[in-house]
Amino acid sequence: MASDAAARLASAPQRDPDYTEIYPASGWAALKLGELWRYRELLLFLTWREIKVRYKQTAIGAGWALIQPLFTMLIFTLFFGRLAKMPSEGVPYSVFSLTALVPWIFFANGLTLSSNSLVGNANLIGKVYFPRLLIPISSVLSGFVDFVLAFILLALFCMYEGVRVHGAIVWLPVFLLLATVACLGVGLWFSALNVEYRDVRYIIPFLTQLWLFATPVVYPASLLGGRWRSVYGLNPMVSVVEGFRWAVLGTARPEGGMLAFSAVTAVVLLVSGAFYFRRMEQNFADIV
Amino acid sequence: MSNIAIHCEGLGKQYRLGAASQHRYKALRDVLAGAATAPFRAAAALARGERVRKEKPAPFWALRDVSFDIEHGEIVGVIGRNGAGKSTLLKILSKITTPTTGYARIHGRVGSLLEVGSGFHPELTGRDNIYMNGAILGMTRREIERKFDEIVAFAEVEKFVDTPVKRYSSGMYLRLAFAVAAHLEPEILFVDEVLAVGDAAFQKKCLGKMNEVSRQGRTIIFVSHNMTALRNLCTRAIWLADGKVVEDGEAGAVVADYLQRNSSSRLETVWDDPGTAPGNDRVRLHSVRVIPKSVDEAGQITVSSPIQLEFCYWNLVPDAVLHISIFLYSLEEVCIFNVGSEAAPRPRGLIRHTCEIPGNLLNDGCYYLRLLIVRDLSTPIFTHNNVAAFEVRDLPRAGAWYGKWQGAVRPNLKWATEVIGAESSLVRS
């Protein structure tokens, strides 16, 4: 019995064992990362639920994670590669575009899912307390399963096309992290905005479409003049895509200035998104 | 350490009603368009010599200046009509929403049950949902694992643990959802009306569990319309009306005062002036009467009294197709029935509808009437949530039993009883 109580106290995931204080909403609020950490188990559960439900609800289940990049790649290869004769830095256009599509789809899906996540979980928000940040975070995290499947597809394709593995492949996780940070940053902004302004969700498909063409997915970044390349890095996905190509295909290494711009933008997006989210969070239950 | 579990001072919650919430959600489009055109509208208004008015939605206080202290181990019931602020109070204490004013401090691990089955997903199996719901309510994975079998047994769904809950009957679903909640072991528990769902057997089980929990020395705040349960379970009650604390004290006394206050009968209301009577430019209420056809010696309506209801209103639109719809509610906010008059084109002028609730139908208790005037069979054009209230008294009983008859209604059914076999039929042939 005593150990029982002790276990409960030690595991108390909810709140401070001492006391909880409740104050009126007060503009900008602290991020409470410690609380987020205490709720890490719920984060895993929410992520797991999202993955499980998604694969159960679609007829083809996990196949969707492969079909999306595969078919997009085929269409891009046909139109941009064959018909438009887009340069692809010496690698077959199919592999060239698929290498970019894998992180891009991870980013675009994560962005869409997280942006709609709060509205989709309105019922939960109105009835239970937990750090609301968990909801968009779990949406982004759930995309990793799709990413892994898509990456396996990419690996098979590279083997088929005879692409050799480079030492630069060890940098891949860094670029995946950059994609995650950027995705979560934008996702936090949009999920919070979406609660307040319900037409935001109509902007998101449009935005991702524009963003796709602002990112060197169908074309190489080298098309842009060198002087602008760094500024181009303000779009973090530029570095992610160029980084993936470098790490997987061994194309030119992304330059430092561009990477720095991307990293700073992504971090600024994430931090500002988190603070904006926390500020809006205080009223979510009343308006969602 | 002091023995205070919950300390609240001056808690208030303001919602904005009116212009802004006409559309529940704001659209970014409107906000941008509004901001872009604002200077022009202001200029135009100034040009016309008007003052620039900023539309300010009317504030509405769902909760106002609520203060109390609750000690560890107290079981507190919160009562009040719908919209009195009970749920808002629980939402603030559970940190779901923030208060507008005031401060609260809670000592101990909190669990809140504002609904059962939070986070349940129909596609997931019973097993998955137990883990999901448990995690959402604040249990750790190990804790859920430890109690898993107990939860499944309590819910009586052993055979269906690995079936998606979308295939469950609503009863099974509810049992499972409650079972997870019932195995939550917080020091402080907030419970909102979750017991109002489900069948009688389920409710009994829930109340039993609440009773068990309450004897373990935990602190519970319990919102309910079930006065009997409140009186039995709670040591203390807080009565809220219009967001304010009306009374706070021993549960039996507060419940009694609450019932007393709300039982005040309003049998007749007449509005003489069609200009100021409740209504709008289509209809205006003239009078509402509750006329008992028989009363007891004290002049009270009893369970055997037929009751005539009379509603008069001015119709201001010629040939409007109108009918009225009335809802009879018990004090526990249970809708006893909803009936409507026939719809027909009505001339301009004073219209009267009457009907009669037969004797030996209503159970003893307090009732109030909600009135809707409906146009074209479908569009309510006027609503009054409480046009009349009356109390139905029990008749003096001959028997030895003095408990309250159960049920929303108490019809006097014609029984037929006869002997259909002689004594010889007891012997097996």
PDB file of all heavy atoms in Angstrom, chain A residues 8 13-14 19-22 24 41 49 52 129 196 198-199 286, chain B residues 13 26 28-29 95 97 103-104 106 110 119 128 137-138 141 185:
ATOM      1  N   ARG A   8       2.667   6.360  -6.863  1.00  0.00           N
ATOM      2  CA  ARG A   8       1.735   7.326  -7.412  1.00  0.00           C
ATOM      3  C   ARG A   8       2.305   8.734  -7.305  1.00  0.00           C
ATOM      4  O   ARG A   8       2.231   9.525  -8.231  1.00  0.00           O
ATOM      5  CB  ARG A   8       0.426   7.239  -6.642  1.00  0.00           C
ATOM      6  CG  ARG A   8      -0.737   7.684  -7.461  1.00  0.00           C
ATOM      7  CD  ARG A   8      -2.011   7.074  -6.956  1.00  0.00           C
ATOM      8  NE  ARG A   8      -2.339   7.518  -5.631  1.00  0.00           N
ATOM      9  CZ  ARG A   8      -2.653   6.701  -4.639  1.00  0.00           C
ATOM     10  NH1 ARG A   8      -2.662   5.411  -4.817  1.00  0.00           N
ATOM     11  NH2 ARG A   8      -2.958   7.176  -3.460  1.00  0.00           N
ATOM     12  N   PRO A  13       1.893  12.570 -12.853  1.00  0.00           N
ATOM     13  CA  PRO A  13       2.247  13.225 -14.094  1.00  0.00           C
ATOM     14  C   PRO A  13       1.582  14.586 -14.168  1.00  0.00           C
ATOM     15  O   PRO A  13       1.949  15.423 -14.960  1.00  0.00           O
ATOM     16  CB  PRO A  13       1.660  12.291 -15.147  1.00  0.00           C
ATOM     17  CG  PRO A  13       0.507  11.646 -14.455  1.00  0.00           C
ATOM     18  CD  PRO A  13       0.771  11.676 -12.990  1.00  0.00           C
ATOM     19  N   GLN A  14       0.572  14.775 -13.351  1.00  0.00           N
ATOM     20  CA  GLN A  14      -0.287  15.924 -13.542  1.00  0.00           C
ATOM     21  C   GLN A  14       0.402  17.220 -13.186  1.00  0.00           C
ATOM     22  O   GLN A  14       0.689  18.017 -14.039  1.00  0.00           O
ATOM     23  CB  GLN A  14      -1.543  15.748 -12.711  1.00  0.00           C
ATOM     24  CG  GLN A  14      -2.394  14.641 -13.287  1.00  0.00           C
ATOM     25  CD  GLN A  14      -3.712  15.152 -13.745  1.00  0.00           C
ATOM     26  OE1 GLN A  14      -4.110  16.094 -13.362  1.00  0.00           O
ATOM     27  NE2 GLN A  14      -4.436  14.576 -14.563  1.00  0.00           N
ATOM     28  N   TYR A  19       1.524  22.316  -4.843  1.00  0.00           N
ATOM     29  CA  TYR A  19       0.233  22.915  -5.134  1.00  0.00           C
ATOM     30  C   TYR A  19       0.185  23.536  -6.517  1.00  0.00           C
ATOM     31  O   TYR A  19       1.210  23.789  -7.136  1.00  0.00           O
ATOM     32  CB  TYR A  19      -0.179  23.925  -4.064  1.00  0.00           C
ATOM     33  CG  TYR A  19       0.781  25.066  -3.862  1.00  0.00           C
ATOM     34  CD1 TYR A  19       0.782  26.153  -4.735  1.00  0.00           C
ATOM     35  CD2 TYR A  19       1.665  25.062  -2.786  1.00  0.00           C
ATOM     36  CE1 TYR A  19       1.656  27.199  -4.539  1.00  0.00           C
ATOM     37  CE2 TYR A  19       2.549  26.106  -2.593  1.00  0.00           C
ATOM     38  CZ  TYR A  19       2.540  27.167  -3.472  1.00  0.00           C
ATOM     39  OH  TYR A  19       3.400  28.196  -3.287  1.00  0.00           O
ATOM     40  N   THR A  20      -1.026  23.747  -6.984  1.00  0.00           N
ATOM     41  CA  THR A  20      -1.246  24.341  -8.293  1.00  0.00           C
ATOM     42  C   THR A  20      -1.860  25.706  -8.063  1.00  0.00           C
ATOM     43  O   THR A  20      -2.737  25.844  -7.218  1.00  0.00           O
ATOM     44  CB  THR A  20      -2.285  23.513  -9.071  1.00  0.00           C
ATOM     45  OG1 THR A  20      -1.944  22.153  -8.924  1.00  0.00           O
ATOM     46  CG2 THR A  20      -2.327  23.904 -10.519  1.00  0.00           C
ATOM     47  N   GLU A  21      -1.423  26.680  -8.811  1.00  0.00           N
ATOM     48  CA  GLU A  21      -2.031  27.994  -8.680  1.00  0.00           C
ATOM     49  C   GLU A  21      -2.746  28.364  -9.961  1.00  0.00           C
ATOM     50  O   GLU A  21      -2.299  28.024 -11.057  1.00  0.00           O
ATOM     51  CB  GLU A  21      -0.966  29.038  -8.356  1.00  0.00           C
ATOM     52  CG  GLU A  21      -0.425  28.867  -6.961  1.00  0.00           C
ATOM     53  CD  GLU A  21       0.480  30.000  -6.566  1.00  0.00           C
ATOM     54  OE1 GLU A  21       1.483  30.194  -7.247  1.00  0.00           O
ATOM     55  OE2 GLU A  21       0.169  30.703  -5.583  1.00  0.00           O
ATOM     56  N   ILE A  22      -3.869  29.004  -9.809  1.00  0.00           N
ATOM     57  CA  ILE A  22      -4.665  29.389 -10.965  1.00  0.00           C
ATOM     58  C   ILE A  22      -4.830  30.900 -10.978  1.00  0.00           C
ATOM     59  O   ILE A  22      -5.301  31.487 -10.000  1.00  0.00           O
ATOM     60  CB  ILE A  22      -6.043  28.678 -10.922  1.00  0.00           C
ATOM     61  CG1 ILE A  22      -5.835  27.172 -11.082  1.00  0.00           C
ATOM     62  CG2 ILE A  22      -6.963  29.211 -11.998  1.00  0.00           C
ATOM     63  CD1 ILE A  22      -7.041  26.352 -10.746  1.00  0.00           C
ATOM     64  N   PRO A  24      -5.712  34.514 -13.574  1.00  0.00           N
ATOM     65  CA  PRO A  24      -6.288  34.964 -14.849  1.00  0.00           C
ATOM     66  C   PRO A  24      -5.229  34.945 -15.951  1.00  0.00           C
ATOM     67  O   PRO A  24      -4.031  35.012 -15.664  1.00  0.00           O
ATOM     68  CB  PRO A  24      -6.733  36.400 -14.556  1.00  0.00           C
ATOM     69  CG  PRO A  24      -6.899  36.473 -13.091  1.00  0.00           C
ATOM     70  CD  PRO A  24      -5.889  35.529 -12.517  1.00  0.00           C
ATOM     71  N   GLU A  41       4.773  11.179 -21.481  1.00  0.00           N
ATOM     72  CA  GLU A  41       4.105   9.913 -21.765  1.00  0.00           C
ATOM     73  C   GLU A  41       2.809  10.133 -22.542  1.00  0.00           C
ATOM     74  O   GLU A  41       2.484   9.383 -23.456  1.00  0.00           O
ATOM     75  CB  GLU A  41       3.808   9.190 -20.452  1.00  0.00           C
ATOM     76  CG  GLU A  41       3.975   7.708 -20.585  1.00  0.00           C
ATOM     77  CD  GLU A  41       3.872   7.013 -19.241  1.00  0.00           C
ATOM     78  OE1 GLU A  41       2.801   7.001 -18.632  1.00  0.00           O
ATOM     79  OE2 GLU A  41       4.903   6.468 -18.811  1.00  0.00           O
ATOM     80  N   ARG A  49      -1.740   7.318 -30.980  1.00  0.00           N
ATOM     81  CA  ARG A  49      -3.140   7.288 -31.383  1.00  0.00           C
ATOM     82  C   ARG A  49      -3.300   7.845 -32.800  1.00  0.00           C
ATOM     83  O   ARG A  49      -4.005   7.294 -33.628  1.00  0.00           O
ATOM     84  CB  ARG A  49      -3.998   8.124 -30.425  1.00  0.00           C
ATOM     85  CG  ARG A  49      -5.467   8.138 -30.849  1.00  0.00           C
ATOM     86  CD  ARG A  49      -6.338   8.936 -29.906  1.00  0.00           C
ATOM     87  NE  ARG A  49      -6.216  10.369 -30.134  1.00  0.00           N
ATOM     88  CZ  ARG A  49      -7.171  11.240 -29.866  1.00  0.00           C
ATOM     89  NH1 ARG A  49      -8.307  10.840 -29.350  1.00  0.00           N
ATOM     90  NH2 ARG A  49      -6.986  12.524 -30.085  1.00  0.00           N
ATOM     91  N   LYS A  52      -1.988   5.307 -35.323  1.00  0.00           N
ATOM     92  CA  LYS A  52      -2.852   4.134 -35.392  1.00  0.00           C
ATOM     93  C   LYS A  52      -4.154   4.450 -36.119  1.00  0.00           C
ATOM     94  O   LYS A  52      -4.608   3.703 -36.971  1.00  0.00           O
ATOM     95  CB  LYS A  52      -3.140   3.657 -33.971  1.00  0.00           C
ATOM     96  CG  LYS A  52      -3.425   2.183 -33.922  1.00  0.00           C
ATOM     97  CD  LYS A  52      -3.035   1.604 -32.580  1.00  0.00           C
ATOM     98  CE  LYS A  52      -3.306   0.120 -32.603  1.00  0.00           C
ATOM     99  NZ  LYS A  52      -2.857  -0.573 -31.423  1.00  0.00           N
ATOM    100  N   TYR A 129      -7.581  18.900 -19.014  1.00  0.00           N
ATOM    101  CA  TYR A 129      -6.397  19.752 -19.037  1.00  0.00           C
ATOM    102  C   TYR A 129      -5.157  18.937 -19.340  1.00  0.00           C
ATOM    103  O   TYR A 129      -4.944  17.873 -18.790  1.00  0.00           O
ATOM    104  CB  TYR A 129      -6.185  20.484 -17.707  1.00  0.00           C
ATOM    105  CG  TYR A 129      -4.874  21.225 -17.721  1.00  0.00           C
ATOM    106  CD1 TYR A 129      -4.779  22.426 -18.396  1.00  0.00           C
ATOM    107  CD2 TYR A 129      -3.730  20.676 -17.164  1.00  0.00           C
ATOM    108  CE1 TYR A 129      -3.565  23.080 -18.494  1.00  0.00           C
ATOM    109  CE2 TYR A 129      -2.515  21.330 -17.261  1.00  0.00           C
ATOM    110  CZ  TYR A 129      -2.444  22.533 -17.929  1.00  0.00           C
ATOM    111  OH  TYR A 129      -1.245  23.177 -18.045  1.00  0.00           O
ATOM    112  N   GLU A 196      -8.522  30.665 -33.586  1.00  0.00           N
ATOM    113  CA  GLU A 196      -9.077  32.010 -33.529  1.00  0.00           C
ATOM    114  C   GLU A 196      -9.778  32.376 -34.843  1.00  0.00           C
ATOM    115  O   GLU A 196     -10.877  32.903 -34.835  1.00  0.00           O
ATOM    116  CB  GLU A 196      -7.924  32.989 -33.252  1.00  0.00           C
ATOM    117  CG  GLU A 196      -8.362  34.425 -33.082  1.00  0.00           C
ATOM    118  CD  GLU A 196      -8.558  34.775 -31.628  1.00  0.00           C
ATOM    119  OE1 GLU A 196      -8.396  33.875 -30.784  1.00  0.00           O
ATOM    120  OE2 GLU A 196      -8.871  35.941 -31.336  1.00  0.00           O
ATOM    121  N   ARG A 198     -11.171  30.831 -38.257  1.00  0.00           N
ATOM    122  CA  ARG A 198     -11.428  29.543 -38.877  1.00  0.00           C
ATOM    123  C   ARG A 198     -11.177  29.478 -40.376  1.00  0.00           C
ATOM    124  O   ARG A 198     -11.284  28.420 -40.969  1.00  0.00           O
ATOM    125  CB  ARG A 198     -12.873  29.116 -38.587  1.00  0.00           C
ATOM    126  CG  ARG A 198     -13.088  28.690 -37.167  1.00  0.00           C
ATOM    127  CD  ARG A 198     -12.045  27.670 -36.734  1.00  0.00           C
ATOM    128  NE  ARG A 198     -11.969  27.581 -35.302  1.00  0.00           N
ATOM    129  CZ  ARG A 198     -12.731  26.780 -34.585  1.00  0.00           C
ATOM    130  NH1 ARG A 198     -13.595  26.021 -35.168  1.00  0.00           N
ATOM    131  NH2 ARG A 198     -12.612  26.756 -33.278  1.00  0.00           N
ATOM    132  N   ASP A 199     -10.864  30.588 -40.996  1.00  0.00           N
ATOM    133  CA  ASP A 199     -10.585  30.467 -42.426  1.00  0.00           C
ATOM    134  C   ASP A 199      -9.107  30.195 -42.707  1.00  0.00           C
ATOM    135  O   ASP A 199      -8.708  30.023 -43.840  1.00  0.00           O
ATOM    136  CB  ASP A 199     -11.088  31.685 -43.205  1.00  0.00           C
ATOM    137  CG  ASP A 199     -10.618  33.004 -42.588  1.00  0.00           C
ATOM    138  OD1 ASP A 199     -10.062  32.970 -41.481  1.00  0.00           O
ATOM    139  OD2 ASP A 199     -10.814  34.052 -43.219  1.00  0.00           O
ATOM    140  N   ASP A 286     -12.321  28.292 -24.561  1.00  0.00           N
ATOM    141  CA  ASP A 286     -13.517  29.127 -24.676  1.00  0.00           C
ATOM    142  C   ASP A 286     -13.962  29.323 -26.114  1.00  0.00           C
ATOM    143  O   ASP A 286     -15.130  29.603 -26.361  1.00  0.00           O
ATOM    144  CB  ASP A 286     -13.257  30.506 -24.061  1.00  0.00           C
ATOM    145  CG  ASP A 286     -12.944  30.400 -22.586  1.00  0.00           C
ATOM    146  OD1 ASP A 286     -13.394  29.418 -21.969  1.00  0.00           O
ATOM    147  OD2 ASP A 286     -12.248  31.279 -22.059  1.00  0.00           O
TER     148      ASP A 286
ATOM    149  N   LYS B  13     -15.447  34.704 -14.194  1.00  0.00           N
ATOM    150  CA  LYS B  13     -15.189  34.369 -15.587  1.00  0.00           C
ATOM    151  C   LYS B  13     -16.144  35.154 -16.464  1.00  0.00           C
ATOM    152  O   LYS B  13     -17.359  35.078 -16.294  1.00  0.00           O
ATOM    153  CB  LYS B  13     -15.404  32.880 -15.822  1.00  0.00           C
ATOM    154  CG  LYS B  13     -15.241  32.447 -17.266  1.00  0.00           C
ATOM    155  CD  LYS B  13     -13.784  32.440 -17.672  1.00  0.00           C
ATOM    156  CE  LYS B  13     -13.584  32.161 -19.142  1.00  0.00           C
ATOM    157  NZ  LYS B  13     -12.180  32.166 -19.527  1.00  0.00           N
ATOM    158  N   LYS B  26     -14.287  33.841 -35.485  1.00  0.00           N
ATOM    159  CA  LYS B  26     -13.876  34.964 -36.291  1.00  0.00           C
ATOM    160  C   LYS B  26     -13.246  34.428 -37.566  1.00  0.00           C
ATOM    161  O   LYS B  26     -12.684  33.350 -37.583  1.00  0.00           O
ATOM    162  CB  LYS B  26     -12.836  35.783 -35.532  1.00  0.00           C
ATOM    163  CG  LYS B  26     -13.453  36.706 -34.509  1.00  0.00           C
ATOM    164  CD  LYS B  26     -12.405  37.639 -33.963  1.00  0.00           C
ATOM    165  CE  LYS B  26     -11.755  37.051 -32.734  1.00  0.00           C
ATOM    166  NZ  LYS B  26     -10.775  37.916 -32.129  1.00  0.00           N
ATOM    167  N   LEU B  28     -10.413  35.339 -40.385  1.00  0.00           N
ATOM    168  CA  LEU B  28      -9.270  36.212 -40.611  1.00  0.00           C
ATOM    169  C   LEU B  28      -9.616  37.218 -41.707  1.00  0.00           C
ATOM    170  O   LEU B  28      -9.300  38.392 -41.630  1.00  0.00           O
ATOM    171  CB  LEU B  28      -8.067  35.365 -41.029  1.00  0.00           C
ATOM    172  CG  LEU B  28      -6.713  36.067 -41.059  1.00  0.00           C
ATOM    173  CD1 LEU B  28      -6.376  36.633 -39.706  1.00  0.00           C
ATOM    174  CD2 LEU B  28      -5.646  35.098 -41.502  1.00  0.00           C
ATOM    175  N   ARG B  29     -10.347  36.709 -42.711  1.00  0.00           N
ATOM    176  CA  ARG B  29     -10.816  37.525 -43.825  1.00  0.00           C
ATOM    177  C   ARG B  29     -11.565  38.762 -43.319  1.00  0.00           C
ATOM    178  O   ARG B  29     -11.298  39.881 -43.719  1.00  0.00           O
ATOM    179  CB  ARG B  29     -11.741  36.634 -44.658  1.00  0.00           C
ATOM    180  CG  ARG B  29     -12.368  37.261 -45.848  1.00  0.00           C
ATOM    181  CD  ARG B  29     -13.348  36.251 -46.450  1.00  0.00           C
ATOM    182  NE  ARG B  29     -14.410  35.918 -45.511  1.00  0.00           N
ATOM    183  CZ  ARG B  29     -14.820  34.688 -45.235  1.00  0.00           C
ATOM    184  NH1 ARG B  29     -14.253  33.671 -45.795  1.00  0.00           N
ATOM    185  NH2 ARG B  29     -15.787  34.469 -44.382  1.00  0.00           N
ATOM    186  N   LYS B  95      -8.188  23.818 -14.668  1.00  0.00           N
ATOM    187  CA  LYS B  95      -7.234  24.506 -15.537  1.00  0.00           C
ATOM    188  C   LYS B  95      -7.564  24.393 -17.027  1.00  0.00           C
ATOM    189  O   LYS B  95      -6.717  24.614 -17.875  1.00  0.00           O
ATOM    190  CB  LYS B  95      -5.804  23.983 -15.303  1.00  0.00           C
ATOM    191  CG  LYS B  95      -5.301  24.275 -13.920  1.00  0.00           C
ATOM    192  CD  LYS B  95      -3.801  24.458 -13.888  1.00  0.00           C
ATOM    193  CE  LYS B  95      -3.060  23.194 -14.195  1.00  0.00           C
ATOM    194  NZ  LYS B  95      -1.598  23.387 -14.197  1.00  0.00           N
ATOM    195  N   THR B  97      -9.854  26.239 -18.524  1.00  0.00           N
ATOM    196  CA  THR B  97      -9.940  27.621 -18.956  1.00  0.00           C
ATOM    197  C   THR B  97      -9.416  28.502 -17.825  1.00  0.00           C
ATOM    198  O   THR B  97      -9.342  28.074 -16.684  1.00  0.00           O
ATOM    199  CB  THR B  97     -11.383  27.986 -19.362  1.00  0.00           C
ATOM    200  OG1 THR B  97     -11.390  29.300 -19.882  1.00  0.00           O
ATOM    201  CG2 THR B  97     -12.341  27.898 -18.193  1.00  0.00           C
ATOM    202  N   TYR B 103      -8.244  34.184  -7.969  1.00  0.00           N
ATOM    203  CA  TYR B 103      -7.071  33.357  -7.746  1.00  0.00           C
ATOM    204  C   TYR B 103      -7.520  32.069  -7.078  1.00  0.00           C
ATOM    205  O   TYR B 103      -8.480  32.067  -6.305  1.00  0.00           O
ATOM    206  CB  TYR B 103      -6.114  34.136  -6.848  1.00  0.00           C
ATOM    207  CG  TYR B 103      -5.018  33.324  -6.225  1.00  0.00           C
ATOM    208  CD1 TYR B 103      -3.918  32.927  -6.985  1.00  0.00           C
ATOM    209  CD2 TYR B 103      -5.083  32.945  -4.892  1.00  0.00           C
ATOM    210  CE1 TYR B 103      -2.905  32.173  -6.408  1.00  0.00           C
ATOM    211  CE2 TYR B 103      -4.069  32.197  -4.306  1.00  0.00           C
ATOM    212  CZ  TYR B 103      -2.983  31.810  -5.074  1.00  0.00           C
ATOM    213  OH  TYR B 103      -1.986  31.070  -4.522  1.00  0.00           O
ATOM    214  N   ALA B 104      -6.882  30.975  -7.399  1.00  0.00           N
ATOM    215  CA  ALA B 104      -7.204  29.723  -6.730  1.00  0.00           C
ATOM    216  C   ALA B 104      -5.931  28.940  -6.495  1.00  0.00           C
ATOM    217  O   ALA B 104      -4.964  29.061  -7.249  1.00  0.00           O
ATOM    218  CB  ALA B 104      -8.173  28.901  -7.573  1.00  0.00           C
ATOM    219  N   ILE B 106      -4.674  24.959  -5.353  1.00  0.00           N
ATOM    220  CA  ILE B 106      -5.125  23.595  -5.130  1.00  0.00           C
ATOM    221  C   ILE B 106      -3.956  22.767  -4.628  1.00  0.00           C
ATOM    222  O   ILE B 106      -2.899  22.727  -5.256  1.00  0.00           O
ATOM    223  CB  ILE B 106      -5.685  22.989  -6.426  1.00  0.00           C
ATOM    224  CG1 ILE B 106      -6.884  23.813  -6.884  1.00  0.00           C
ATOM    225  CG2 ILE B 106      -6.087  21.545  -6.216  1.00  0.00           C
ATOM    226  CD1 ILE B 106      -7.383  23.462  -8.243  1.00  0.00           C
ATOM    227  N   VAL B 110      -4.734  16.444  -8.863  1.00  0.00           N
ATOM    228  CA  VAL B 110      -6.112  16.670  -9.283  1.00  0.00           C
ATOM    229  C   VAL B 110      -6.489  15.728 -10.415  1.00  0.00           C
ATOM    230  O   VAL B 110      -5.702  15.450 -11.298  1.00  0.00           O
ATOM    231  CB  VAL B 110      -6.270  18.127  -9.782  1.00  0.00           C
ATOM    232  CG1 VAL B 110      -7.632  18.330 -10.410  1.00  0.00           C
ATOM    233  CG2 VAL B 110      -6.057  19.092  -8.645  1.00  0.00           C
ATOM    234  N   GLY B 119     -10.996  11.433 -25.300  1.00  0.00           N
ATOM    235  CA  GLY B 119      -9.929  10.874 -26.120  1.00  0.00           C
ATOM    236  C   GLY B 119     -10.259   9.513 -26.699  1.00  0.00           C
ATOM    237  O   GLY B 119      -9.447   8.935 -27.401  1.00  0.00           O
ATOM    238  N   ASP B 128      -6.838  -0.241 -26.480  1.00  0.00           N
ATOM    239  CA  ASP B 128      -6.156   1.003 -26.855  1.00  0.00           C
ATOM    240  C   ASP B 128      -6.802   2.204 -26.185  1.00  0.00           C
ATOM    241  O   ASP B 128      -6.120   3.106 -25.698  1.00  0.00           O
ATOM    242  CB  ASP B 128      -6.200   1.212 -28.378  1.00  0.00           C
ATOM    243  CG  ASP B 128      -5.364   0.176 -29.104  1.00  0.00           C
ATOM    244  OD1 ASP B 128      -4.570  -0.504 -28.429  1.00  0.00           O
ATOM    245  OD2 ASP B 128      -5.520   0.051 -30.333  1.00  0.00           O
ATOM    246  N   LEU B 137      -6.386  11.227 -18.683  1.00  0.00           N
ATOM    247  CA  LEU B 137      -6.853  11.583 -17.344  1.00  0.00           C
ATOM    248  C   LEU B 137      -5.698  11.711 -16.357  1.00  0.00           C
ATOM    249  O   LEU B 137      -5.904  12.047 -15.204  1.00  0.00           O
ATOM    250  CB  LEU B 137      -7.845  10.537 -16.844  1.00  0.00           C
ATOM    251  CG  LEU B 137      -9.167  10.484 -17.610  1.00  0.00           C
ATOM    252  CD1 LEU B 137     -10.037   9.364 -17.077  1.00  0.00           C
ATOM    253  CD2 LEU B 137      -9.895  11.807 -17.515  1.00  0.00           C
ATOM    254  N   GLY B 138      -4.497  11.416 -16.818  1.00  0.00           N
ATOM    255  CA  GLY B 138      -3.335  11.658 -15.966  1.00  0.00           C
ATOM    256  C   GLY B 138      -2.735  10.422 -15.338  1.00  0.00           C
ATOM    257  O   GLY B 138      -1.943  10.513 -14.416  1.00  0.00           O
ATOM    258  N   ARG B 141       1.543   4.964 -17.673  1.00  0.00           N
ATOM    259  CA  ARG B 141       1.351   3.689 -18.362  1.00  0.00           C
ATOM    260  C   ARG B 141       1.401   2.531 -17.361  1.00  0.00           C
ATOM    261  O   ARG B 141       0.607   1.606 -17.427  1.00  0.00           O
ATOM    262  CB  ARG B 141       2.443   3.508 -19.420  1.00  0.00           C
ATOM    263  CG  ARG B 141       2.166   2.438 -20.428  1.00  0.00           C
ATOM    264  CD  ARG B 141       3.047   2.615 -21.643  1.00  0.00           C
ATOM    265  NE  ARG B 141       4.447   2.836 -21.252  1.00  0.00           N
ATOM    266  CZ  ARG B 141       5.289   1.847 -20.970  1.00  0.00           C
ATOM    267  NH1 ARG B 141       4.906   0.605 -21.065  1.00  0.00           N
ATOM    268  NH2 ARG B 141       6.528   2.111 -20.612  1.00  0.00           N
ATOM    269  N   GLU B 185      -6.964   7.692  -9.388  1.00  0.00           N
ATOM    270  CA  GLU B 185      -6.807   7.838  -7.937  1.00  0.00           C
ATOM    271  C   GLU B 185      -6.190   9.177  -7.564  1.00  0.00           C
ATOM    272  O   GLU B 185      -5.084   9.238  -7.047  1.00  0.00           O
ATOM    273  CB  GLU B 185      -5.942   6.703  -7.393  1.00  0.00           C
ATOM    274  CG  GLU B 185      -6.669   5.394  -7.381  1.00  0.00           C
ATOM    275  CD  GLU B 185      -5.834   4.286  -6.782  1.00  0.00           C
ATOM    276  OE1 GLU B 185      -4.615   4.479  -6.604  1.00  0.00           O
ATOM    277  OE2 GLU B 185      -6.404   3.228  -6.502  1.00  0.00           O
TER     278      GLU B 185
END
